[in-house]
Amino acid sequence: MSVTITEDYRALQAALHAQGNYGLAALRYGPTVLELLRVGGACTLLDYGCGSKRSLLAGMQLPADVRYEGYDPAVPAYSARPSPAELVVCIDVLEHIEEAFLDSVLDELASVCLAFGFFTIHTGPAGKVLADGRNAHLIQQGPHWWLPRLRQRFVLLAVQPVPNGFAVTVQSPRWGRA
C-alpha cells in the first residue's frame, strides 16, 4: 500500500478529532446513502474518512443485511487499512488530504470500490484551523479541478452541487466484469 498521510499530519488531524464537533457533515447524507445501497443492491459499505464519531451511522438506520466498515487514518480505532466494499462513501474528506498524497488516496479509493461510490467535496475554506495555522481544508478547488482526477479512476454517474461544494456518484470501471 502507498503512503496516504504523513505522521505529522495524522497527529494534527487526531488533535482536531479529539476536540469534538469535527466530521459531522455525513449526518445529512444518510438518506442518500440508504438509497444508493438500495438501488445498487450493496451488502457492504465502507465509510472512508469516517472520523471519530462515524456520523454517517447516526444519520441513518443501516439495514441489517449491510456490513459497515469505518476507516479513518487519524482515529486509531478505525485506522486499519480498509476492506473493499460494494459502496464506498467519502463525505467531506478529500479536501483534507495532503496534496502530495491525493493520488495515493484516490488510487486507494478506486482499489476498495467494488461497484459504486458517493463522494462529497467541500470546495472552500473550512471553519476550523489546524494547530500549525493552516486551514483544515488543505485543497480548496472546484469541480473543474477535481473531476478530471476522479475520471481517471471512476466512471462518473452524477455530479450535483451541494452546500459549499459538490457531490459525485461514481462507478468502478471493474463493476460488472466477470
Side-chain angles (χ1 to χ4, degrees):
M1 282 296 198
S2 341
V3 174
T4 58
I5 189 170
T6 62
E7 289 306 316
D8 287 344
Y9 189 58
R10 183 187 322 269
L12 289 170
Q13 282 294 318
L16 273 183
H17 283 287
Q19 292 175 11
N21 194 29
Y22 186 59
L24 301 176
L27 279 169
R28 71 175 162 263
Y29 291 105
T32 301
V33 172
L34 283 173
E35 182 64 9
L36 289 169
L37 286 166
R38 187 189 67 74
V39 169
C43 294
T44 54
L45 171 64
L46 171 60
D47 186 358
Y48 191 101
C50 66
S52 57
K53 303 263 189 247
R54 299 190 314 169
S55 61
L56 177 63
L57 289 178
M60 62 186 221
Q61 181 67 41
L62 190 68
D65 62 341
V66 173
R67 181 182 54 81
Y68 170 91
E69 179 182 358
Y71 168 71
D72 198 303
V75 180
Y78 308 118
S79 64
R81 285 291 180 193
S83 302
E86 294 162 319
L87 177 61
V88 176
V89 299
C90 186
I91 298 173
D92 282 13
V93 171
L94 293 171
E95 62 274 13
H96 294 274
I97 304 302
E98 296 163 283
E99 194 168 343
F101 298 109
L102 181 61
D103 282 332
S104 294
V105 169
L106 292 175
D107 289 345
E108 184 170 74
L109 275 172
S111 76
V112 296
C113 182
L114 297 176
F116 299 99
F118 176 72
F119 313 146
T120 67
I121 301 173
H122 194 294
T123 57
K128 298 203 180 330
V129 176
L130 298 167
D132 66 5
R134 291 180 291 168
N135 189 276
H137 289 171
L138 300 182
I139 303 175
Q140 297 175 33
Q141 298 287 341
H144 67 282
W145 189 89
W146 285 100
L147 293 178
R149 287 161 174 80
L150 294 171
R151 250 187 225 106
Q152 290 175 353
R153 295 155 176 96
F154 301 98
V155 176
L156 302 186
L157 299 177
V159 178
Q160 60 195 36
V162 296
N164 302 309
F166 68 101
V168 59
T169 305
V170 302
Q171 180 180 324
S172 168
R174 301 181 315 268
W175 185 73
R177 293 186 187 160

